[in-house]
Amino acid sequence: MELFAVPDLPEIAPGDDLAALIEARVDLSPDDVVCVASTVVSKAEDRVKTLDDFPAGPRAREIAARLESITGEEKDPRFAQAVLEEATEVLIEAPFLLTETRFGHVSVNAGIDRSNVPGGDLLLLPKHPGESAARLRAGLTADRVVVTDTCGRPFRHGQRGVAVGWAGTPASRDWRGERDRDGRELTATVESVVDELAAASNLVAGEGAGGTPVVVVRDFEFGDHGGSDELFREIDDDLVRQAIREWRFEG
């Protein structure tokens, strides 16, 4: 398997044909996987906003004041308002905002970015990254697209790439019913392929001013496995979220 960055992409602006810009810079094959950072997808979809787009309501002002008292850092209530408007559920309000987005991704601050946002203050995640991936796929020679983001993981330092949208490939491959080297049947192994592709592409893409937002994964084979598009856990199956809700209620 080979991974390489797509070179020389310009700063993306609202309305740009991102698929055409990628096609013009790389010779894609149908079985390639194109991993595209959500930042450039959001810019093309006009998801750059200013803080003034989010006049703070009472709850946002209360959250900002509480966070400021805990962290000792000034918190803009307009940012809290933006997070609230992008979230379908706030799981934790302090010492940080942990939220669920409308498409099921759980992340800090609804995944809103405040870096590399020319002409604005905030960069929101795509509204529907799966649909964004499908639109990109329609304009590319490659048959598979993954829209990526970065976020932290409980119990670990640092951030890594994750998938927030995908098209042309199942989200996971199911090893259940297959055998390990000792002949034991696998009963629980479901591999999050799109997350692994996103993490691998993030190693190549890099971060900061030197980062490149599009990476091609070549010669990745899904294999003869069952597949599923279930990436985000349903609430009834999410023991961690249930525990957070119980803790929040008791608190």
Side-chain angles (χ1 to χ4, degrees):
M1 190 172 74
E2 176 188 5
L3 292 90
F4 56 90
V6 175
D8 303 324
L9 281 166
E11 180 65 39
I12 303 301
D16 280 351
D17 188 337
L18 188 52
L21 290 170
I22 295 169
E23 281 279 336
R25 287 163 174 80
V26 64
D27 185 14
L28 293 171
S29 299
D31 63 349
D32 287 339
V33 184
V34 180
C35 296
V36 186
S38 61
T39 50
V40 292
V41 176
S42 291
K43 289 176 181 179
E45 296 180 355
D46 198 18
R47 297 284 281 164
V48 175
K49 304 295 179 183
T50 68
L51 285 167
D52 288 339
D53 291 325
F54 299 95
R59 188 181 181 197
R61 291 194 293 270
E62 179 183 345
I63 289 173
R66 184 181 181 191
L67 291 174
E68 189 169 319
S69 69
I70 293 172
T71 65
E73 301 175 356
E74 184 177 356
K75 301 295 182 181
D76 194 320
R78 295 173 298 175
F79 181 76
Q81 183 66 41
V83 174
L84 291 176
E85 292 188 22
E86 285 297 298
T88 58
E89 181 180 5
V90 177
L91 281 75
I92 298 176
E93 290 189 3
F96 56 86
L97 282 165
L98 182 67
T99 65
E100 180 184 4
T101 68
R102 61 177 58 85
F103 56 89
H105 180 50
V106 174
S107 63
V108 174
N109 294 335
I112 296 175
D113 203 341
R114 302 189 73 171
S115 60
N116 296 318
V117 194
D121 302 309
L122 311 173
L123 185 62
L124 313 183
L125 284 174
K127 285 186 176 181
H128 303 287
E131 296 177 10
S132 302
R135 286 192 294 270
L136 284 168
R137 181 189 179 212
L140 294 171
T141 303
D143 286 336
R144 297 176 287 183
V145 172
V146 177
V147 177
T148 71
D149 194 24
T150 56
C151 67
R153 180 181 177 183
F155 314 114
R156 293 179 182 264
H157 288 293
Q159 296 183 314
R160 85 286 193 227
V162 297
V164 292
W166 58 93
T169 180
S172 61
R173 52 186 175 190
D174 194 341
W175 294 82
R176 291 173 296 182
E178 300 189 34
R179 302 281 175 176
D180 68 10
R181 292 182 179 181
D182 296 320
R184 296 186 182 90
E185 182 177 341
L186 301 175
T187 60
T189 304
V190 179
E191 182 184 10
S192 179
V193 170
V194 289
D195 277 342
E196 292 178 327
L197 290 168
S201 72
N202 197 60
L203 285 173
V204 176
E207 299 284 357
T212 52
V214 181
V215 171
V216 177
V217 182
R218 181 155 290 170
D219 296 329
F220 167 72
E221 297 183 4
F222 187 87
D224 186 18
H225 307 278
S228 170
D229 273 334
E230 293 183 2
L231 183 64
F232 306 114
R233 287 186 182 274
E234 298 291 337
I235 293 175
D236 292 342
D237 186 42
D238 192 336
L239 300 179
V240 173
R241 190 183 308 196
Q242 292 175 29
I244 290 174
R245 282 180 165 181
E246 183 177 343
W247 163 77
R248 185 179 61 191
F249 177 77
E250 290 178 349

